[in-house]
Amino acid sequence: MRGNNNAGKDNTTKENSGNKEASTNAPATDKAADPAEKIELSFWTLGNVNYEELANAYTKEHPNVTIKIQNTGDQTAHHNNLTTALSAGSGAPDIFQLEIGFMERFLSAQDKFYNLNDYGAKDIQANYLDWKWKQASSVDGSFQLGLPTDIGPTVVYYRTDLAKKAGLPEDPDGFGAAIDTWDKFATVAKAYKDKIGKPFVDLTDLTYNALRDQSNDEIYFSKADGKFIGDTNPQVKKAYDFTVKGIQEGWISNFMLWSPEWGQGMNDGSFAVIMGPAWMAGNIKSNAPDSSGKWKIAQLPEGAGNWGGSFITLPKEGKHPKEAYDFIQWLVNKDNQLESFKTKGLMPSIPALYEDPAFKDFKDDFFGGQQTAVEFGKSANRVKPVYYGPLHDQTDTFFKNALKNVLEKKADPAKEWDEAVKQAKTLAERG
């Protein structure tokens, strides 16, 4: 799960999720983990998750453990609040949901967190995607900051009614084959714009992300020495140039991510394609109820990427790490990740689920009865881990602003690129 910078925008509900087969019954828990005395654990959660429902189920099985949830949709505030609390030495929760984009910031502050390996995390490591697990590990694997929750493998969401209108294949395999390279994607997008008279893709940020996240090992920063490498990473330049091409040829809309107009555009067919992570499915459903049954999911050209996904961590201010660990290892187990997928669309990080009939046979009416888990699973297995670095989000903003200036002010793309690189280098030098 990834939150956003507009708290409250992500308003997917169980009622509009389209997952009619979803169960509201949380899996049973292990009563052997009951503490002798009553305790309360504070838990800061992010975005549209079902952790409060699961926490309540846990308390029913463990009446001496109460979990107090504090939820926010603003991911920047969420992580800044923890940073402030850790710096002050007070105010941090017992349990914290940490989004991957902020992982490096907190991996460099390991002394502020419990090492989950001390509580048995190594025993469950093999259950999770290896690349996901390692995102929350020290280089040598001796320190484990968090337990994996969901992942954000990226896919292509597309409108079948608009594809048909443009003469494109409606089935996922056929549509995917038509755009299976970025060059073919651009050709199809331009032809769609010329024939339909509307943009093919929803917005610049998600287009850029789709290519950016296919980088090899690193994006903006070197894992070896932390130096800025964004200006020499060919995939970053490819992502930038591809997005500029879409802007200049008119096949990318001018909507802003999370804006009401973007959400309305999903519903009224202002564009045909959204390239986004698995958790974006919930946003599409909530924003575009009138288009239910008209969407399907295909694979991205030239591989996959991952955007977002969280971990559950234990800040060291917590006084009950054993009980907190017992809860979080239950929270992210196979049954509960399946429940989170069915109710909130959170893609599991446990690969054994990808072949489980309860997961892969799940059909989503909103996506025309497609077995969406199969497509998300294909993407998840194609993801290659990348290093972000503690300044990733701030650096990324420079390049997104450059594209915004090209889109809105018709600014020179080369000058905007140079300015973004200059800003990124200055930020990196300050550290």
Side-chain angles (χ1 to χ4, degrees):
M1 182 65 197
R2 185 178 175 92
N4 58 60
N5 292 325
N6 299 286
K9 294 289 185 185
D10 187 358
N11 58 351
T12 307
T13 65
K14 190 182 298 182
E15 288 72 24
N16 62 23
S17 69
N19 298 332
K20 293 180 179 178
E21 298 175 21
S23 167
T24 57
N25 298 320
T29 67
D30 178 11
K31 289 186 176 182
D34 280 338
E37 300 178 351
K38 288 185 178 297
I39 63 170
E40 180 177 282
L41 302 174
S42 55
F43 184 9
W44 291 3
T45 64
L46 174 65
N48 193 20
V49 295
N50 65 332
Y51 296 157
E52 184 160 11
E53 291 90 337
L54 291 174
N56 290 337
Y58 190 83
T59 297
K60 285 183 180 178
E61 296 293 324
H62 304 269
N64 280 350
V65 180
T66 301
I67 296 129
K68 186 178 180 181
I69 303 286
Q70 176 181 308
N71 178 264
T72 180
D74 186 333
Q75 65 173 0
T76 300
H78 177 71
H79 294 88
N80 286 345
N81 288 342
L82 180 64
T83 299
T84 300
L86 294 178
S87 298
S90 66
D94 295 280
I95 307 168
F96 183 81
Q97 181 183 347
L98 199 161
E99 210 278 332
I100 181 57
F102 296 81
M103 176 58 72
E104 299 299 332
R105 180 197 297 185
F106 296 103
L107 266 176
S108 63
Q110 293 177 11
D111 60 320
K112 304 290 186 183
F113 292 86
Y114 287 106
N115 182 357
L116 302 187
N117 285 338
D118 293 342
Y119 295 88
K122 283 283 187 184
D123 295 338
I124 59 174
Q125 177 177 351
N127 296 338
Y128 298 87
L129 288 166
D130 186 57
W131 62 264
K132 174 75 174 178
W133 185 271
K134 289 180 177 176
Q135 286 179 328
S137 303
S138 60
V139 175
D140 64 1
S142 63
F143 191 95
Q144 188 65 26
L145 187 66
L147 297 185
T149 59
D150 64 314
I151 58 174
T154 44
V155 295
V156 176
Y157 299 96
Y158 68 98
R159 288 273 298 252
T160 55
D161 56 329
L162 300 179
K164 181 180 181 181
K165 193 175 179 181
L168 292 167
E170 297 175 62
D171 67 289
D173 288 343
F175 191 86
I179 58 164
D180 61 5
T181 70
W182 288 114
D183 285 344
K184 289 169 68 175
F185 185 102
T187 300
V188 166
K190 179 66 164 56
Y192 178 93
K193 171 67 167 56
D194 292 343
K195 183 171 184 176
I196 304 299
K198 293 182 179 179
F200 186 60
V201 182
D202 60 337
L203 45 77
T204 57
D205 283 10
L206 296 183
T207 304
Y208 177 77
N209 288 356
L211 285 89
R212 177 203 66 189
D213 293 339
Q214 292 180 347
S215 292
N216 184 24
D217 296 331
E218 304 157 329
I219 300 178
Y220 297 122
F221 296 96
S222 165
K223 190 172 185 177
D225 56 19
K227 291 183 179 178
F228 174 73
I229 58 164
D231 56 336
T232 58
N233 180 349
Q235 193 65 25
V236 170
K237 192 62 165 65
K238 180 178 180 179
Y240 185 84
D241 290 344
F242 185 84
T243 308
V244 167
K245 180 182 178 70
I247 294 171
Q248 294 179 332
E249 293 184 349
W251 47 263
I252 296 181
S253 300
N254 60 355
F255 296 119
M256 291 293 107
L257 188 62
W258 311 123
S259 69
E261 293 79 12
W262 173 60
Q264 183 60 40
M266 298 178 193
N267 199 42
D268 62 19
S270 297
F271 44 80
V273 163
I274 298 171
M275 291 183 281
W279 50 262
M280 189 63 76
N283 291 280
I284 298 173
K285 291 172 182 176
S286 61
N287 283 318
D290 297 339
S291 64
S292 178
K294 297 177 179 177
W295 291 86
K296 283 196 182 296
I297 298 171
Q299 296 297 300
L300 278 181
E302 301 183 20
N306 183 80
W307 185 34
S310 299
F311 295 83
I312 307 298
T313 67
L314 303 182
K316 229 170 190 175
E317 286 180 33
K319 304 302 181 189
H320 306 286
K322 167 65 170 57
E323 291 79 5
Y325 180 80
D326 288 343
F327 167 66
I328 68 171
Q329 74 159 350
W330 172 85
L331 184 74
V332 299
N333 70 19
K334 184 179 174 182
D335 289 342
N336 286 331
Q337 290 212 7
L338 177 61
E339 187 71 10
S340 294
F341 174 75
K342 288 183 173 181
T343 57
K344 297 296 182 182
L346 304 184
M347 179 66 186
S349 55
I350 298 178
L353 270 172
Y354 304 161
E355 299 303 321
D356 189 321
F359 176 74
K360 70 177 185 180
D361 294 344
F362 180 70
K363 295 181 179 179
D364 195 321
D365 293 340
F366 186 88
F367 291 99
Q370 186 179 9
Q371 291 174 276
T372 55
V374 173
E375 293 299 326
F376 294 141
K378 286 180 189 174
S379 178
N381 283 321
R382 299 166 77 199
V383 170
K384 296 178 180 177
V386 293
Y387 173 73
Y388 291 96
L391 300 176
H392 173 86
D393 265 30
Q394 292 164 274
T395 302
D396 195 56
T397 300
F398 299 142
F399 291 90
K400 297 287 178 56
N401 286 341
L403 291 167
K404 184 179 179 183
N405 290 337
V406 174
L407 177 71
E408 296 182 348
K409 301 177 181 177
K410 310 301 181 188
D412 180 78
K415 290 182 179 178
E416 291 296 324
W417 167 267
D418 290 342
E419 179 62 23
V421 169
K422 179 181 177 182
Q423 291 174 312
K425 286 182 174 178
T426 300
L427 176 68
E429 288 170 0
R430 288 204 308 262

